[in-house]
Amino acid sequence: QVQLVESGGGLVQAGGSLRLSCAASRRTFSTQAMGWFRQAPGKEREFVTAISRSGRNTLYAGSAKGRFTISRDNAKNAVYLQMNSLKPEDTAVYYCAAARTYGDYVVKDDVESYNYWGQGTQVTVSS
């Protein structure tokens, strides 16, 4: 069982920055590829970014590339999402998720590949 807890959400003005954190509960965190997803009211959960278990490979959705950066610290069992140049359309609940993988470079962009999810943290970007 992997338990994930997000933090760092809040209200920010357009053009501002926010850093989200996700803390995992297991020593085997380093075996998990990690991802960030978001869901706005009335919309499907969408992929934002993912990082391989070693941190050596990353993947970004088109909406995130160039503005967001994912990173992880396996010693701290944590993954982070640095969000810059935020836009009102970034407003959503942001979720971190974990997927068991068997390679250092494996990343996933589909919801179905992730077995563990956090409760989410609200990010609101004002105009």
Side-chain angles (χ1 to χ4, degrees):
Q1 181 70 29
V2 176
Q3 293 181 323
L4 306 172
V5 180
E6 304 96 334
S7 62
L11 176 65
V12 64
Q13 295 181 358
S17 297
L18 208 59
R19 185 174 187 256
L20 306 184
S21 298
C22 177
S25 62
R26 295 186 60 193
R27 296 177 182 177
T28 55
F29 172 79
S30 62
T31 69
Q32 309 280 334
M34 301 295 297
W36 286 97
F37 292 76
R38 67 187 184 187
Q39 188 167 21
K43 297 184 178 180
E44 297 291 323
R45 190 166 299 186
E46 67 174 353
F47 171 76
V48 178
T49 183
I51 189 166
S52 63
R53 68 185 191 184
S54 68
R56 296 177 182 175
N57 193 28
T58 57
L59 181 66
Y60 293 90
S63 60
K65 194 171 184 64
R67 299 189 299 126
F68 295 0
T69 303
I70 188 171
S71 61
R72 68 189 296 160
D73 186 340
N74 288 352
K76 296 181 178 179
N77 291 349
V79 63
Y80 308 96
L81 179 62
Q82 178 67 46
M83 303 185 292
N84 298 325
S85 301
L86 283 163
K87 306 173 182 179
E89 53 262 42
D90 294 318
T91 295
V93 176
Y94 283 70
Y95 300 89
C96 66
R100 182 71 168 87
T101 63
Y102 299 92
D104 286 344
Y105 295 91
V106 176
V107 291
K108 302 289 187 178
D109 65 358
D110 57 306
V111 170
E112 292 77 13
S113 291
Y114 291 83
N115 296 318
Y116 303 99
W117 296 83
Q119 294 283 352
T121 185
Q122 177 70 47
V123 171
T124 302
V125 184
S126 62
S127 301

